[in-house]
Amino acid sequence: MYEFDWSSIPNALPFLWDGMMISLQITATAVIIGIVWGTLLALMRLSPIKPLSWFAAGYVNLFRAVPLVMVLLWFFLIVPHLLESLFGFPRGSDMRLGSAMAGFALFEAAYYSEIMRAGIQSVPKGQMSAASALGMTYAQGMRLVVLPQAFRNMVPLLLTQGIILFQDTSLVYVSALADFFGAAYKVGDRDGRLVELLLFAGAVYFVICFTASRIVRHYQQKLKTA
Amino acid sequence: MITMNNVSKHYGSFQVLTECSTQVQKGEVIVVCGPSGSGKSTLIKVVNGLEPFQSGEIIVNGLSVGDPKTNLSKLRSMVGMVFQNFELFPHMSIIDNLCIAQTKVLHRTQEVARDKGLKLLERVGLSAQAAKFPGQLSGGQQQRVAIARALAMDPICMLFDEPTSALDPEMVNEVLDVMTELAREGMTMMCVTHEMGFAKRVASRVIFMDQGRIVEDDSKEAFFANPRSERAQQFLAKILHH
Ligand SMILES: Nc1ncnc2c1ncn2[C@@H]1O[C@H](COP(=O)(O)OP(=O)(O)OP(=O)(O)O)[C@@H](O)[C@H]1O
Ligand SMILES: [Mg+2]
């Protein structure tokens, strides 16, 4: 019978907390940049200018067809070299966090772009007609009339994607970056208490994601009845 | 004010407008009617360039709509348009609906736009609703807001596409009353509508369309007394029976 021993967790809490901050930082940047870049991709995809539309379609299809873990590895391996040779960053400086953020943001943008594209298409055509009839340009109509509504309709899906992203940040362990999962693993490994630490980490992920998806569900109901 | 010369439009091989010509003078109220699918909506949407057309010429206030050099956004800001489904912006309050194009297109200050918006809301009898959102208003109220929103741009003419056909019957009159008042004040208007009572009261001319052609373009007296085409006679017989 395995004897559980939770005693190494209390001392490790500050280290785990730092890890959680890294996970949250990666999630926040990837959500924000992902949504902005994803929205731009969606606009390109829907644009009548063919090369833009092809570029966006190619980008989205490429990123959706490769595993996230591979994209992350590309970024860990390639981005530091790029920065080194382009901007003369000192060799060996730690760019794992920056690489992780960039990798996640660019990868998630592909998914956000599909959500925003559906959102834009969910706004009735007449809204753009009305904006145009008032003398707004296409860009003004998009920015002031269509996108706010697309965004509002898609908030639940955008947030749900954010929750998935938060879970996926654990994949940065491939670069030995001490995010929450990585930190828990390191502590468990050091103290020979891997089972306890991973159970604890799992419980934390569960509580955060379950609570967040409850909130999203609640918001979704409110949106439906409004 | 508006001149159309031999305007034709097609979607692929489907002809929506065939050589449509007409003129609208300042202060005239033109009622456009005809069976479903005859091209009425398209006829007024080509006037402000909301729908492109392939041949012919449209001049609005001296500007050629089909000319690629014409600034279409500027032209549209001078031509008011009211849609069948209101198309108020649901994420903005009523007063913001009235201000947004004034500030973003005409570059009026927020205060000037607001004053103007409130005055127009009063005019259509909806001052009390300024802070509400479109979803909280009845259809008739929404359409009156939509008219006020178009008027806020100080348009030189107004286009209406079946403004009352999405409304419950008891709300039709409140919208027609606003339109009648506008017409009496001398606004130049092109209205697609099947409200023949409205046409009899305020129209200067009636245009009857069938299969993409302007079949009749006559004074309302001549149109209602003895329409020349058989198609228009049938149409009138049907619609006046209801
Ligand atoms: N985007 C489009 N592609 C192909 N055909 C179209 C398109 N838009 C309109 N049409 C066709 O053009 C014709 C004229 O349309 P339009 O909307 O101008 O008619 P309408 O007289 O306003 O009809 P209604 O009374 O139903 O509003 C219709 O037969 C319609 O099916
Ligand atoms: Mg129509």
Side-chain angles (χ1 to χ4, degrees), chain A residues 176-226:
Chain A
L177 192 62
D179 74 318
F180 181 65
F181 177 75
Y185 193 93
K186 277 182 186 163
V187 173
D189 203 30
R190 183 195 64 197
D191 299 352
R193 287 289 156 203
L194 211 44
V195 174
E196 287 83 350
L197 263 295
L198 291 188
L199 280 173
F200 174 71
V204 172
Y205 276 112
F206 175 79
V207 168
I208 292 177
C209 294
F210 185 74
T211 315
S213 52
R214 278 286 138 152
I215 295 170
V216 172
R217 177 101 70 82
H218 177 77
Y219 182 87
Q220 210 164 10
Q221 297 294 339
K222 234 174 65 183
L223 203 70
K224 243 181 231 155
T225 54

Side-chain angles (χ1 to χ4, degrees), chain A residues 123-138 140-149 152, chain B residues 48 50 72-74 76-77 79-81 83 86-92 97 100-101 104-105 107 149-150 153:
Chain A
V123 177
K125 289 261 182 296
Q127 289 284 302
M128 189 48 130
S129 299
S132 303
L134 286 164
M136 292 186 201
T137 59
Y138 179 80
Q140 285 178 316
M142 267 294 164
R143 189 162 48 83
L144 302 169
V145 175
V146 176
L147 282 180
Q149 293 181 61
R152 193 182 61 173
Chain B
N48 66 352
L50 226 43
L72 269 186
S73 298
K74 183 137 193 288
R76 289 183 189 129
S77 71
V79 178
M81 187 161 211
F83 298 83
F86 331 132
E87 303 299 351
L88 294 180
F89 305 136
H91 58 301
M92 295 178 195
N97 263 275
I100 183 90
K104 300 288 176 180
V105 176
H107 305 294
R149 180 176 70 176
M153 305 295 284

Side-chain angles (χ1 to χ4, degrees), chain A residues 52-88:
Chain A
L52 283 183
S53 160
W54 289 332
F55 167 76
Y59 181 100
V60 170
N61 289 328
L62 173 71
F63 274 98
R64 278 160 45 108
V66 293
L68 173 55
V69 110
M70 211 164 87
V71 174
L72 291 175
L73 273 176
W74 288 344
F75 272 82
F76 292 135
L77 300 176
I78 297 167
V79 170
H81 287 295
L82 261 175
L83 290 176
E84 212 172 272
S85 52
L86 286 180
F87 304 108

Side-chain angles (χ1 to χ4, degrees), chain B residues 35-42 44-45 84 161-162 165 192:
Chain B
S36 181
S38 57
K40 308 177 298 290
S41 299
T42 311
I44 67 163
K45 282 182 182 158
Q84 185 170 359
D161 188 5
E162 306 206 38
S165 59
V192 177

